[in-house]
Amino acid sequence: MSTFKTAIRIIWRHKNYMLIYLVGMSLITMIIGYGSMSQAVEATKESSVGTFKPVRAKVSVINRDSGDSLGRNLGRGLTDYLSRSADMVSLPDENQTMQNALANGDQTDLIIIIPQGFSRRFLEACADVSAGAKSVSVPKVQTATNYKSDHGDLAQVQVDSYFDGVSAALLGGLGQSTRDAEVDTEAMSDTANMADMANAASSNPSAVANTASQGAQMSSRGNARPITVDAWAFKAASDYTVKHFANNQAKISVQTSPRKETKTLSAGFAQTVSLASYPLMTALTVCLALLFGSFSMAEQHRRLMASPIRNFSLNLQQFLAALLFGLVAWAYFTILILGSTVVVGGNPESLGWGRICISLLTMMIFVVAASAFGYMLSQFNLSNTVINTVAIIMGLVIMFTSGSAMPIDMPAAMTLVGKLTPGWWYNSAVNAVFGLSPSGKTVSAGVFSAANWSTPALIVLLFALLYFCAGLMVGRLRRSGASVRSVTS
C-alpha cells in the first residue's frame, strides 16, 4: 500500500486547493442554497391559508375592592368577560411585581386595578344617571399597559366595553326579570332599546360612549323604574353582560385562494444539492488531476515500470486514493447540506429520508464523473495553471448551464451546451427525485418517478465512463509516443 500512501500525501500536499475549491466555493454556493431554503421556510410560516387566529392579550386583574359582595361580583364579572377574548394572568398585589411584569414583554400586556370602594361609587353614579342628573362623573378603573406591545390597548377597549355594558344593563333592568316580573308596555320598549345599547356596548366598543347618557334619558321618564342599587342587581347586570358577550360573537368566515408562492422546501433542498456540482467539479478535477499527473510523468512512470509492483496493483491503489478523496468530499457536502436544512428551520423528515438518500446517491454518481474528468485531464500532462483554468471554466459552465444556479427556463442554446456536460443531467436527476423539472418547477405534484430519475443518473455514469476511457486512450497514446521517441533517439 506504499503507492496508496504516496497518493494520499500528494493530495495533502495540495491542501490549499482543497481549501479554496472545496471549502471556499462550497460556502459561496451554500449561501445561495441557504437563501433558497430560507425563503421556502419563511413562506410556509407566514402562510395562514384556511385559518384565522385572533390576537389574545395577556391581562391581569388586581381587585382591591373584594371586601364586600359588590366588589367581588364586579371583579368576577370583569374577569369572566375578559377571559373570552384574552388570557388571564394571576399577579400578586405588589407594586414591584407588577412593574416587573410590565417590563417583561411576554408576561402581561395589561394590568387592571380595581380601587377600594370602586363598585359602590360606580353604582352610585349609575343611580344618579337613572335619577336624571345632568352631569355625572363615572369612576374609572386604573390600568397600566406594556409599552412593548399593543395588545394591551386592544384589551383596554374590552374593559371599557364591559363597564358600558354593565351600566346599560343596570339602567334597563336587564337580567332582573325574577325580581320585577311586571312592566308596562313603554317600560318594555325602553328595556328593548337599552338591550340594543347593551349589544352595542359589548360588540362595538367604539359606539359605547353615549350609552349611559341615552340610558339616563330613558330612565328620566315618569314611568321608568328607579335603579335598584344592591349587590343582587349588580350581579344580574354583570351576568347579563358576560352572557351577552359570549352569545353575540362575530361570525368570521375565511375565504381562501390558492397561494401563488411555488417555492417549497423540496425545491430549495434540490437546488442546494445541485449547486454542489460547481465546487465538486473544480475541487475533484484539480486535486485528482494533480494526483494522477504526478504518477504519469515520464520520469516517475519509468521508475514505476521498473519496480516489482504490478501495473494493476499500482493503478488500483491510485484509484483507491482518488475514491477516498471523493468520499471525503461527498461526506463534507452531505453534512453541509443537511446542516443548512436544519439551520433554516426545515425538517428533513418532511422531505422523506428515502428521497434524501436518493439525492445524495445522485451526488455520489456526480463525484465519480468529476473524478473521471480529473483523471482524463491528468493524462494530457498539463501544467498546474492550465489544470486550474480548465477546472474553473468547466465548473462555471456546469453551474450556469445546468439550471442549478438559476432555476429558470433557459434558452435553447444554453440547454444544448448544458446537455453536453454531466451537470445538466445531474441537476435533472436531483430535481426528478422531488418531482421537479430541470428548471425547478413542480411537474408531478412532488411524486418521485424512478424512470425520470434513473435516465439522467445513468447518463451521468456514462459521462464518467466516457472521461475514464478517454483518459486511458490519451495516456496510452502519450506513453506510446514517448516510447517511439526514446527508441528513435
Side-chain angles (χ1 to χ4, degrees):
M1 297 295 288
S2 60
T3 303
F4 175 79
K5 295 179 181 178
T6 302
I8 297 298
R9 286 197 293 269
I10 293 174
I11 294 176
W12 182 247
R13 186 188 308 166
H14 298 92
K15 54 183 174 293
N16 291 336
Y17 291 127
M18 290 189 292
L19 293 176
I20 295 174
Y21 294 121
L22 189 62
V23 178
M25 291 185 176
S26 66
L27 296 179
I28 297 175
T29 55
M30 286 302 105
I31 290 175
I32 302 175
Y34 180 90
S36 179
M37 288 191 292
S38 179
Q39 291 176 6
V41 172
E42 291 300 323
T44 302
K45 289 181 179 179
E46 294 175 0
S47 174
S48 59
V49 176
T51 61
F52 174 78
K53 185 178 181 180
V55 175
R56 293 181 65 89
K58 298 177 181 178
V59 180
S60 300
V61 177
I62 306 297
N63 190 0
R64 296 175 178 174
D65 191 28
S66 58
D68 56 12
S69 58
L70 282 177
R72 288 192 295 271
N73 289 335
L74 183 140
R76 178 191 56 79
L78 179 60
T79 301
D80 292 344
Y81 187 89
L82 294 177
S83 63
R84 309 300 174 101
S85 59
D87 296 328
M88 306 308 297
V89 178
S90 178
L91 287 178
D93 188 6
E94 300 174 358
N95 292 336
Q96 187 64 41
T97 303
M98 290 186 285
Q99 292 174 6
N100 293 336
L102 290 175
N104 187 1
D106 58 352
Q107 187 170 356
T108 185
D109 299 310
L110 176 67
I111 295 179
I112 305 168
I113 300 176
I114 303 175
Q116 186 176 4
F118 172 82
S119 57
R120 179 64 58 181
R121 293 194 301 271
F122 180 81
L123 288 178
E124 290 175 353
C126 291
D128 293 340
V129 172
S130 178
K134 299 297 183 181
S135 178
V136 179
S137 177
V138 180
K140 298 288 186 180
V141 293
Q142 301 173 5
T143 59
T145 58
N146 190 330
Y147 69 94
K148 297 181 180 179
S149 172
D150 57 357
H151 297 168
D153 296 329
L154 298 177
Q156 177 69 59
V157 175
Q158 294 297 325
V159 175
D160 296 337
S161 175
Y162 168 74
F163 287 106
D164 289 331
V166 171
S167 62
L170 276 173
L171 295 174
L174 302 177
Q176 303 183 33
S177 57
T178 56
R179 173 176 289 189
D180 302 300
E182 296 181 358
V183 293
D184 56 19
T185 304
E186 187 174 357
M188 292 179 63
S189 177
D190 287 346
T191 301
N193 292 334
M194 292 182 185
D196 293 337
M197 289 189 294
N199 293 341
S202 56
S203 61
N204 186 9
S206 63
V208 301
N210 297 325
T211 301
S213 61
Q214 293 177 5
Q217 294 174 5
M218 294 180 182
S219 299
S220 61
R221 298 175 181 173
N223 57 357
R225 291 172 288 111
I227 184 171
T228 304
V229 183
D230 58 15
W232 189 94
F234 183 82
K235 182 178 182 301
S238 177
D239 292 343
Y240 178 86
T241 304
V242 174
K243 182 179 179 181
H244 171 78
F245 181 83
N247 295 335
N248 291 273
Q249 294 297 300
K251 301 300 186 292
I252 299 174
S253 177
V254 179
Q255 301 295 328
T256 62
S257 59
R259 285 176 53 84
K260 295 182 180 180
E261 176 63 54
T262 58
K263 196 68 175 179
T264 60
L265 180 61
S266 59
F269 184 86
Q271 184 183 6
T272 307
V273 176
S274 298
L275 284 169
S277 59
Y278 175 48
L280 283 174
M281 175 58 72
T282 53
L284 292 173
T285 297
V286 172
C287 293
L288 297 187
L290 295 176
L291 167 64
F292 292 114
S294 300
F295 285 95
S296 62
M297 296 175 64
E299 184 65 26
Q300 282 79 358
H301 183 70
R302 282 194 294 267
R303 292 180 179 179
L304 290 173
M305 290 299 99
S307 67
I309 303 176
R310 291 185 299 175
N311 191 34
F312 174 78
S313 176
L314 179 67
N315 293 331
L316 178 62
Q317 293 183 55
Q318 294 180 44
F319 283 114
L320 285 176
L323 178 61
L324 177 61
F325 179 68
L327 286 175
V328 171
W330 175 84
Y332 168 73
F333 273 95
T334 298
I335 296 173
L336 202 61
I337 293 171
L338 292 178
S340 61
T341 304
V342 175
V343 169
V344 299
N347 184 8
E349 292 184 0
S350 64
L351 300 173
W353 288 112
R355 295 187 181 189
I356 293 177
C357 292
I358 296 175
S359 63
L360 296 178
L361 174 62
T362 308
M363 185 168 63
M364 174 58 72
I365 296 174
F366 183 80
V367 167
V368 175
S371 302
F373 182 78
Y375 170 75
M376 180 190 70
L377 204 61
S378 68
Q379 302 305 304
F380 287 92
N381 197 20
L382 303 173
S383 64
N384 290 356
T385 303
V386 176
I387 291 175
N388 279 272
T389 303
V390 173
I392 293 175
I393 293 176
M394 185 65 174
L396 290 174
V397 169
I398 287 178
M399 184 176 181
F400 290 104
T401 61
S402 64
S404 58
M406 297 179 293
I408 57 176
D409 293 328
M410 297 181 297
M414 292 186 64
T415 302
L416 178 61
V417 174
K419 289 183 178 181
L420 297 177
T421 66
W424 193 91
W425 301 101
Y426 167 66
N427 181 55
S428 300
V430 172
N431 286 329
V433 174
F434 298 96
L436 306 171
S437 67
S439 61
K441 297 180 180 179
T442 303
V443 295
S444 56
V447 178
F448 169 72
S449 173
N452 293 338
W453 169 80
S454 59
T455 300
L458 180 61
I459 294 177
V460 176
L461 277 176
L462 292 177
F463 268 101
L465 182 61
L466 173 65
Y467 294 148
F468 181 72
C469 293
L472 291 177
M473 181 185 67
V474 172
R476 178 81 175 180
L477 292 175
R478 186 170 57 82
R479 285 190 293 270
S480 298
S483 299
V484 171
R485 286 193 298 271
S486 64
V487 170
T488 55
S489 62

